[in-house]
Amino acid sequence: MHSGSRLRFRAESIAVAEFTGLHRWSVVPGARVREGACSCGRFDCRTPGAHPLDCSPEVPAGTMLAEATAMWAKIPDATVMLPVGRAFDVIEVSESAGRRALVRLERMGLPLGPVTATPDGRAQFFVAPGSADQLPELLYRLGWDHTDALDLRGLGSGTYITAPPSDRSGLGPVRWLREPDLLSETTPPPARLLLGTLAYVAHRSRG
């Protein structure tokens, strides 16, 4: 590894150990874009640098520091991805709307989980598992019966997000807008607490 790769690997291996050992999240090795192509090797890859690697071992939630670091050392070129639908679901909006909504939510004193910003301009709010399935009904109850007016979607079981500090799609690193803490990462808030504000700001942003 050259020095840049070593520094990247060190940062990502530390993140993996924290996610599994401290926050009790499973980690999945993901593909990376190298020289314009996805490291999965498929020439027709539809999501280059933004999907789990086939046949690479998951680092389970609860894995301690030494073991997590040793497991990650076997796949040093992988990105860090988190499976959605286990410890948390995700509500995703544009980054600009997400930043404004986050300020409002913090001023309101509502419980919040982690929030990430992706290099393609999306903000991802961690919420309680099962929230993605409830999203259409919750939005309907809030008066949003035409959800195509909102640049908002839920990610649930079977989906994966790239975690900081990994690169996504060769566009740059994912960043924390609100870092996980010892409370929020184990008890992400119900979507209903955040959704009114997120939907309102997302709608205003599109308008």
Side-chain angles (χ1 to χ4, degrees):
M1 287 189 192
H2 57 72
S3 59
S5 295
R6 284 196 297 271
L7 289 173
R8 185 198 70 210
F9 169 72
R10 178 175 174 77
E12 290 178 338
S13 62
I14 289 172
V16 168
E18 289 180 349
F19 294 157
T20 59
L22 183 61
H23 304 319
R24 303 287 170 166
W25 298 335
S26 296
V27 172
V28 175
R32 190 183 301 276
V33 169
R34 295 183 306 201
E35 298 179 357
C38 186
S39 62
C40 70
R42 295 192 295 269
F43 72 91
D44 59 345
C45 180
R46 296 183 178 180
T47 54
H51 65 85
L53 286 170
D54 296 335
C55 303
S56 290
E58 177 179 302
V59 186
T63 304
M64 293 294 101
L65 173 62
E67 184 181 357
T69 302
M71 291 180 69
W72 203 252
K74 298 177 181 178
I75 40 175
D77 197 39
T79 60
V80 181
M81 301 197 77
L82 303 175
V84 182
R86 301 183 193 178
F88 58 85
D89 278 7
V90 166
I91 297 178
E92 183 182 272
V93 296
S94 72
E95 182 180 344
S96 59
R99 286 181 178 274
R100 289 195 291 273
L102 183 58
V103 171
R104 286 174 176 256
L105 292 165
E106 289 176 333
R107 287 176 178 170
M108 294 164 67
L110 291 173
L112 292 169
V115 185
T116 65
T118 69
D120 56 344
R122 308 296 291 173
Q124 298 174 323
F125 287 72
F126 290 32
V127 291
S131 295
D133 290 338
Q134 300 168 5
L135 203 57
E137 181 181 353
L138 290 172
L139 286 169
Y140 181 78
R141 289 180 181 178
L142 290 168
W144 298 100
D145 52 347
H146 297 292
T147 57
D148 55 351
L150 302 174
D151 182 16
L152 179 154
R153 66 172 181 149
L155 305 178
S157 182
T159 61
Y160 300 83
I161 61 169
T162 304
S166 283
D167 176 275
R168 183 172 178 84
S169 301
L171 300 175
V174 178
R175 311 177 312 282
W176 291 115
L177 295 182
R178 188 176 191 276
E179 294 192 29
D181 58 51
L182 289 177
L183 177 62
S184 65
E185 90 284 353
T186 56
T187 56
R192 59 180 174 79
L193 296 181
L194 316 183
L195 197 54
T197 299
L198 287 172
Y200 172 77
V201 175
H203 177 65
R204 289 291 300 270
S205 296
R206 294 202 77 177

